[in-house]
Amino acid sequence: MSQLFTGRRAAAALVTAALLVPLSACGGNGKKDEGAEKPGGSAAPKADLTVLAASSLTDVFKKAGAVYEKEHPGTKVHFSFAGSQELAAQVREGAPADAVVTADTKTMDGLKADVGTPTVIAKNRLVIATGEGNPKKIDNLKALTDSKLKVVLAASEVPVGRYSKQVLDAQKLKVKPVSQEPNVRAVLSKVELGEADAGIVYKTDAATAPKKVDAVDIPDAQNAVASYPAATLKASQHGAAAAAFVKWLSTPEAQKLLQQAGFQKP
């Protein structure tokens, strides 16, 4: 009788174990964990992300996006580049996007109702962009006041335009630009095409066209530091995936890409 009871108890244990195996394989609730990936993959949620980013991030973010997609199979990152003031307008108008990265904290501060907590991912400085070989021999900010020069600046509502005004005002310099552009890449383009003798741009932008423009450094004491905050959008349909991307921008790998492009540590 004792042996019969023992045998029944053992059989019952085997049945119970058999029932538990498929449940544990499903994460304990009968459903596959959506964050689970194949061996070697990432636990970040999969999604098609749209990131609104400042124009000055164009080149480096294209590289960063490719790296991120490779490390996170199933995730696609689409960028929309424009001046920070334009990005802010898009956010306020409800443009379908998941994250935003501006070239200044002032613009991001104005989006408090629409974004999560921002994180500064990089910094930048200004330089004077001139034609290749610096044919006009421009060597400092004061040289930009020469009325014979065609100087182009970004509009004052654009971060790089605001920074430019800040450094010129601090030196009590009056510069009359021949045009005011909607973003830093437009300023750089004018100089590249020879439509302007000089323009004030970010150091990283001048570095993208080494064969077309020269960069004249502005001393640190006269310069401005641009900060780049990144944040998720509260209206995002892919909140977890967007948060994972924004967090990744502060990782050593992403920081290495930014610094290779000439950005400074945050």
Side-chain angles (χ1 to χ4, degrees), residues 76-123:
K76 295 294 181 182
V77 185
H78 310 280
F79 295 104
S80 177
F81 298 103
S84 295
Q85 82 290 349
E86 185 177 337
L87 300 179
Q90 292 176 25
V91 171
R92 294 189 185 100
E93 291 168 4
D98 303 288
V100 60
V101 188
T102 63
D104 67 335
T105 56
K106 182 176 181 178
T107 300
M108 186 66 80
D109 287 345
L111 296 174
K112 283 184 179 180
D114 304 289
V115 302
T117 303
T119 300
V120 174
I121 62 163
K123 292 185 177 181

Side-chain angles (χ1 to χ4, degrees), residues 66-249:
V67 171
Y68 190 80
E69 290 178 353
K70 186 176 181 179
E71 291 184 357
H72 302 79
T75 294
K76 295 294 181 182
V77 185
H78 310 280
F79 295 104
S80 177
F81 298 103
S84 295
Q85 82 290 349
E86 185 177 337
L87 300 179
Q90 292 176 25
V91 171
R92 294 189 185 100
E93 291 168 4
D98 303 288
V100 60
V101 188
T102 63
D104 67 335
T105 56
K106 182 176 181 178
T107 300
M108 186 66 80
D109 287 345
L111 296 174
K112 283 184 179 180
D114 304 289
V115 302
T117 303
T119 300
V120 174
I121 62 163
K123 292 185 177 181
N124 213 341
R125 285 185 178 274
L126 304 178
V127 296
I128 301 169
T130 72
E132 184 183 9
N134 193 4
K136 300 295 183 178
K137 307 303 178 185
I138 299 167
D139 57 5
N140 55 43
L141 287 171
K142 187 176 182 179
L144 299 180
T145 62
D146 187 341
S147 60
K148 295 179 182 179
L149 290 179
K150 292 181 179 179
V151 179
V152 62
L153 300 174
S156 59
E157 65 268 20
V158 184
V160 70
R162 190 159 54 248
Y163 292 132
S164 299
K165 185 177 186 304
Q166 177 184 325
V167 300
L168 291 171
D169 287 351
Q171 299 303 309
K172 295 180 172 56
L173 299 175
K174 298 288 186 181
V175 175
K176 296 182 178 180
V178 294
S179 69
Q180 293 182 303
E181 303 301 319
N183 58 66
V184 69
R185 285 306 171 95
V187 175
L188 183 68
S189 178
K190 290 279 188 178
V191 179
E192 285 183 279
L193 295 173
E195 296 177 8
D197 298 314
I200 297 180
V201 301
Y202 295 119
K203 180 178 181 179
T204 54
D205 288 284
T208 66
K211 295 181 179 180
K212 295 182 179 180
V213 303
D214 279 9
V216 178
D217 288 333
I218 299 173
D220 287 350
Q222 299 176 10
N223 217 322
V225 178
S227 295
Y228 289 73
T232 57
L233 296 184
K234 292 179 180 178
S236 169
Q237 298 299 306
H238 312 288
F245 176 73
V246 169
K247 184 177 181 180
W248 179 81
L249 291 173

